[in-house]
Amino acid sequence: MSDLEAARIESEAQRLFKKLGVMTDFKTGGKYSLEHCRSIAPLTLKINDLKREKDAVILAHYYCTPDIVYGVADFKGDSYALAKKAAQTGQKNIIFCGVYFMAQTAKIVNPDKNVFLPPVTAGCSLADGIDAEEAAKLKAGYPQAALVCYINSTAEVKAFCDVCVTSSNVYDIVSALPNKQIVFVPDLFMAENIRAELKRRGIEKEVLSFGSTCCVHDKYTVRDIEEIKSAHPNAKIISHPECPRSVCEMSDYCGSTAGMLSYVKGSDAEEFAVFSEDGIVNSLELENPSKTFYPVSRTCAQMKRNTLNNVLGVLENLDKAPRVEVSRDIALKAKISIDNMFKMAGK
Ligand code: 13P
Ligand code: SF4
């Protein structure tokens, strides 16, 4: 290796360490080391070079590992921000570091672009919670209702829905719908949180729900909160609305990934217990160096299937790598529910 190349790798390692060095490595429990950053620097450099060469953009959900989110992603975000960003990118090739329904959404809003999901089959227990046949039955069975789908659903399910929502806009969109009856799929816990929020707002609607739960957030319990409160009585509890209602009820703040980030930033508190995926803890650590976080550690194994190696694999074989495809008919119908979300979310 030439001196020049060695210096370039060292400078990339230092860039990575500035960010990753403050973050918890959930595999070891310690912080990411400079040695670790040195070991991944050749890969992140190669990916960032190839990205420019091949007219590619990398979008990454906060739940991916920090080497992806802070090493190679051009844009990071929660589900809503990434869906919006996917609709605005100029590059021909979109590499989506997330799970399948997210990459499908990027394809639906960009039918003429190539969309790649590096782990190809990375799934989600929520999106698996309802299929198109069940969605069709709900649509036919509740003709007066608005069929509202959480973005964590397949394109085939979205095709039957009136409007799609994410955790960052669900309450406002459901509140604004004219229908008195809402059929919400597929997050059963989110549905409970919607009912509670509508009650709090004094809005009368019947919310029926079908589907499943997030296999990461559904494991949190009231006991977890009690334990963390007894160990860290001053910690604010923050949670995601995919958690059980009992957990959200006891939280100081319950909201979307972006919502948690802004709550912590704006809070005077110094300690926080985080009832959400490990990836968000890493971003909180980076953005709030003076605050302390107590992760109640839960990992989305599917999100963690995005690796520097499989991102590089896609970039090196753009012509042959499997692309995310959605049939034209399904994409056109699903896009209506996504566009309705963009219109109703208004930002
Ligand atoms: P948000 O990104 O909308 O907060 O949702 C979290 C999640 O579980 C994504 O799969
Ligand atoms: Fe799906 Fe839950 Fe993983 Fe998000 S965290 S991708 S909702 S399984």
Side-chain angles (χ1 to χ4, degrees):
M1 188 192 306
S2 70
D3 286 355
L4 202 66
E5 186 56 12
R8 191 167 174 251
I9 291 174
E10 182 58 23
S11 141
E12 173 71 350
Q14 296 293 341
R15 176 188 79 84
L16 292 168
F17 186 60
K18 255 195 195 154
K19 300 201 163 183
L20 273 61
V22 300
M23 297 178 192
T24 303
D25 175 353
F26 287 95
K27 278 199 186 126
T28 64
K31 299 283 175 189
Y32 285 100
S33 65
L34 180 55
E35 276 324 296
H36 174 79
C37 295
R38 285 190 174 121
S39 73
I40 61 173
L43 267 180
T44 57
L45 279 175
K46 206 165 176 183
I47 289 170
N48 288 325
D49 287 348
L50 278 174
K51 218 169 56 178
R52 284 185 282 272
E53 235 173 73
K54 301 209 174 179
D55 194 25
V57 63
I58 299 182
L59 308 183
H61 192 274
Y62 282 116
Y63 293 176
C64 292
T65 46
D67 51 357
I68 303 259
V69 179
Y70 294 99
V72 297
D74 299 288
F75 298 102
K76 59 183 184 313
D78 65 358
S79 304
Y80 184 68
L82 291 175
K84 280 225 96 166
K85 196 41 97 176
Q88 296 160 352
T89 56
Q91 286 86 345
K92 180 82 192 137
N93 299 297
I94 300 175
I95 301 182
F96 206 114
C97 295
V99 291
Y100 196 72
F101 76 83
M102 296 180 175
Q104 265 192 331
T105 304
K107 181 67 186 174
I108 292 165
V109 297
N110 286 292
D112 298 329
K113 293 190 178 170
N114 304 322
V115 178
F116 302 90
L117 176 70
V120 186
T121 56
C124 164
S125 65
L126 279 173
D128 291 344
I130 179 167
D131 63 20
E133 208 177 305
E134 290 162 321
K137 273 193 198 146
L138 291 172
K139 182 89 189 146
Y142 298 93
Q144 311 298 328
L147 184 49
V148 180
C149 63
Y150 194 30
I151 199 165
N152 299 43
S153 53
T154 61
E156 290 74 12
V157 167
K158 286 187 180 81
F160 286 100
C161 289
D162 297 301
V163 61
C164 172
V165 296
T166 77
S167 51
S168 66
N169 52 42
V170 53
Y171 301 136
D172 288 344
I173 289 181
V174 171
S175 300
L177 284 167
N179 313 60
K180 283 280 172 220
Q181 193 180 48
I182 306 291
V183 176
F184 182 77
V185 296
D187 191 336
L188 302 174
F189 287 161
M190 177 85 69
E192 283 184 35
N193 284 312
I194 296 171
R195 289 183 197 106
E197 178 61 18
L198 290 178
K199 195 168 172 202
R200 194 190 68 81
R201 293 183 183 195
I203 297 173
E204 264 184 52
K205 284 184 199 284
E206 182 189 19
V207 179
L208 305 171
S209 53
F210 298 88
S212 59
T213 54
C214 161
C215 61
V216 177
H217 292 90
D218 67 4
K219 305 285 185 303
Y220 288 119
T221 62
V222 167
R223 203 191 157 93
D224 291 330
I225 299 192
E226 286 165 354
E227 279 173 12
I228 210 109
K229 275 275 183 202
S230 84
H232 307 287
N234 296 325
K236 295 277 180 209
I237 307 292
I238 61 171
S239 64
H240 193 280
E242 288 169 13
C243 294
R245 177 70 204 139
S246 52
V247 167
C248 297
E249 229 166 16
M250 283 181 73
S251 302
D252 295 289
Y253 176 81
C254 177
S256 68
T257 299
M260 281 190 262
L261 283 161
S262 48
Y263 172 80
V264 171
K265 199 151 231 159
S267 167
D268 292 335
E270 285 167 5
E271 297 169 69
F272 300 85
V274 186
F275 284 67
S276 191
E277 213 274 346
D278 294 342
I280 184 67
V281 178
N282 286 147
S283 290
L284 286 165
E285 288 172 325
L286 178 66
E287 291 188 17
N288 304 277
S290 64
K291 298 180 177 175
T292 305
F293 298 95
Y294 306 114
V296 188
S297 182
R298 297 249 182 261
T299 298
C300 178
Q302 297 296 317
M303 286 282 189
K304 280 6 180 202
R305 289 176 61 195
N306 294 273
T307 64
L308 292 176
N309 278 315
N310 57 25
V311 171
L312 181 62
V314 169
L315 276 165
E316 285 180 332
N317 295 288
L318 271 186
D319 294 339
K320 294 203 189 99
R323 293 177 188 181
V324 175
E325 302 291 357
V326 181
S327 79
R328 202 182 134 72
D329 179 44
I330 296 287
L332 283 174
K333 289 183 188 151
K335 190 168 181 300
I336 296 172
S337 72
I338 296 169
D339 285 344
N340 283 341
M341 169 178 73
F342 289 146
K343 267 186 239 150
M344 290 189 77
K347 54 183 167 93

